[in-house]
Amino acid sequence: MPRGPTSESVARRVAEVGGIGAVGEVRNGPQTTTGWHTHGDHTACVYVVEGQVLLEWGPGGEHSVQLGPGDFYVISPRTIHRESNPGPGENCWAGFLMGSGQQVVNVDGPEPARVREAL
């Protein structure tokens, strides 16, 4: 499988699927975090194969979920997010991108978190 688009601290291998999307494998070393990115106009469906994945999204990255082998997650088009590997070993996940256009769009980060006033 050919090498895929890059983001900080992540290795991707991606194969195009007849102009309707792509399928790929992603690996992240221990104690590393990808850069903030989107998948443009693609919907990303991800299956965690091995290791731990901490997924962050939303204003200021305020939403997060930790996932392990056998877990699935879906990223809607243009959702700014990043994945971290909080574990001691490499993680691996399989991704299926459905859509067209640029597969990975690296960005500086999500919009800032909203400040909540105390009551």
Side-chain angles (χ1 to χ4, degrees):
M1 200 176 315
R3 188 178 174 121
T6 61
S7 290
E8 183 179 330
S9 300
V10 67
R12 291 184 179 95
R13 295 185 321 144
V14 177
E16 296 291 327
V17 180
I20 61 169
V23 60
E25 174 188 80
V26 180
R27 292 187 177 272
N28 217 14
Q31 305 296 310
T32 60
T33 302
T34 69
W36 291 102
H37 61 283
T38 76
H39 295 289
D41 291 331
H42 291 85
T43 295
C45 301
V46 180
Y47 174 77
V48 180
V49 177
E50 65 180 286
Q52 300 298 308
V53 175
L54 175 65
L55 174 66
E56 298 172 276
W57 73 96
E62 65 186 8
H63 301 292
S64 67
V65 63
Q66 187 157 331
L67 305 157
D71 289 334
F72 288 90
Y73 61 96
V74 176
I75 303 291
S76 298
R78 295 173 296 289
T79 299
I80 296 173
H81 66 285
R82 68 181 179 182
E83 291 97 351
S84 298
N85 179 354
E90 183 177 72
N91 67 17
C92 177
W93 64 95
F96 306 89
L97 297 175
M98 297 173 291
S100 61
Q102 192 171 349
Q103 294 173 1
V104 175
V105 179
N106 294 309
V107 297
D108 291 334
E111 65 186 66
R114 294 177 211 96
V115 175
R116 294 185 176 96
E117 293 184 28
L119 298 176

